[in-house]
Amino acid sequence: MSTDVYEGPATIEKLAALCRRRGIVFPASDIYGGVGSTFDYGHYGVLLKNNVKQRWLDAMLRERDGIVLLDSAIIQHPRTWEASGHVAGFSDPLVDCRTCKKRYRADDLEHARCERKPSKLPGQGPECDLTDAREFNLMFKTTIGPVAEAGTEVFLRPETAQGIFLNFRNYMNVMRRRPPFGIAQIGKSFRNEITPGNFLFRLREFEQMEMEYFVPPDGAQQAFEEWVEARRDWYLRYGIEPSRLRVRPHGADELSHYSTQTSDVEYLFPIGWLELEGIAHRGDFDLRQHMEHSGVDLRVFDPDTETHYLPHVVEPAAGVDRATLAFLVDSYDEEEVAGRQRTLLRLHPMLAPVTAAVLPLVNKDGMPEIAERLYAELRAALPVEYDDSGSVGRRYRRQDEIGTPWTITVDGQTVEDETVTVRDRDSLTQDRVPLGGVRELLEDRLRSSTGFSPAR
Ligand code: ATP
């Protein structure tokens, strides 16, 4: 059953504070006062984000066949964006308020607040004086060449997909691929968003995970349906609460210029249902456009019918930062244990930045030596860390807040009988296990958390 109100303990503010406090995400250029809605990922954030990307790559490359990789340039030939429709159409309508100088998206005023009278929408306050809406292109411009006036004007890519279409011919000729096959890419994209905000939700510089699946036209509808389901299942598999996830087909009036059918995978954030990922049936729009604008034949020869055709494309397009935010929101929890408040991230073990932390109970009596040896053994196989600073309670809290699923404590008994305790982040149970069996135990638990042996 899905509702329309998020009822969990997370808020965007609490998460941003936790991320900052624990070295997951910092506001960028902090010492200069920050640049709006721009963030730097700290150590644990990089590990978390890498895991999100790795799980996506597992789904593309290891759990199925027929998808290959690409890492294309951020700056492509400027005609790319004429052909793709971005120069003419990648814009949002913008309105300014002459009174408070604030800027709004004209198509999203119902989610905005008047600067002077926050109980009102922009335009409804007594002093509001909104301009007419004008179209604002979201692409960042820059120039190639040392002298701006003489340089060529180019754009930072607003999506990774076009780099894939530009390489389609290379994959046909060099990689000898024939539809159906997919090209997957993860990389940075840039959009000069009018209203960035909500922490990692809407950024001007962000990462995308996109895959273009090329199919003969008569297979496109089935491929579209399969990809919608596969992408929804991916979020569920990595722990998203089912009642907070839904697939929403676009109405005819919402479809992008290139799409004949699109469904969004949406997540119920504390700020409402919002898009995590779009799966679009793009038809042959992109290949046809690039064929016409470049003059290069991008058709495929079908030996059965002895005809040439343009493949159709199904595209699952996800945001790394947005998925990371959803996993953070969804895993955030607060509870009271023995009269004390505990905050934790119940992250899926295959997403957690650190799989296990090794803790000597005290820094004496032979415990640090054993703990360091165990740490060195585990470190070679898994993302683990060693923590010996502060009381053990504090160290548990620190690991809970970065979502470490298991904490291994070396105590007095370890010195006597070579056993350690393994504390489970979620249930708080402590199992005593032989020192020599810890690595296998962790690897088994990771494997059983996905039913698949994923790449770390
Ligand atoms: P929105 O409607 O939220 O602006 P969109 O429909 O323009 O998103 P797409 O062009 O389909 O987004 O991009 C694919 C995915 O890239 C989105 O589902 C989202 O996860 C991510 N994405 C897009 N814009 C941003 C952004 N400004 N910040 C963070 N992630 C983004």
Side-chain angles (χ1 to χ4, degrees), residues 191 193 201-203 206 208 275-278 317-319 322:
R191 296 183 188 179
E193 299 276 5
F201 183 81
R202 190 174 300 286
L203 304 166
F206 55 99
Q208 290 187 305
E275 173 182 334
L276 277 185
E277 165 160 0
R322 234 179 240 189

Side-chain angles (χ1 to χ4, degrees), residues 124-172:
Q124 291 183 335
E127 295 170 76
C128 293
D129 183 10
L130 298 188
T131 61
D132 288 339
R134 60 204 156 87
E135 289 296 317
F136 173 74
N137 195 295
L138 301 183
M139 285 196 292
F140 279 100
K141 272 186 208 157
T142 186
T143 39
I144 288 184
V147 187
E149 302 79 58
T152 306
E153 190 172 85
V154 291
F155 301 100
L156 304 187
R157 68 178 176 199
E159 60 174 34
T160 60
Q162 297 305 321
I164 297 179
F165 299 124
L166 300 190
N167 276 282
F168 177 70
R169 198 169 61 136
N170 291 333
Y171 281 70
M172 295 286 294

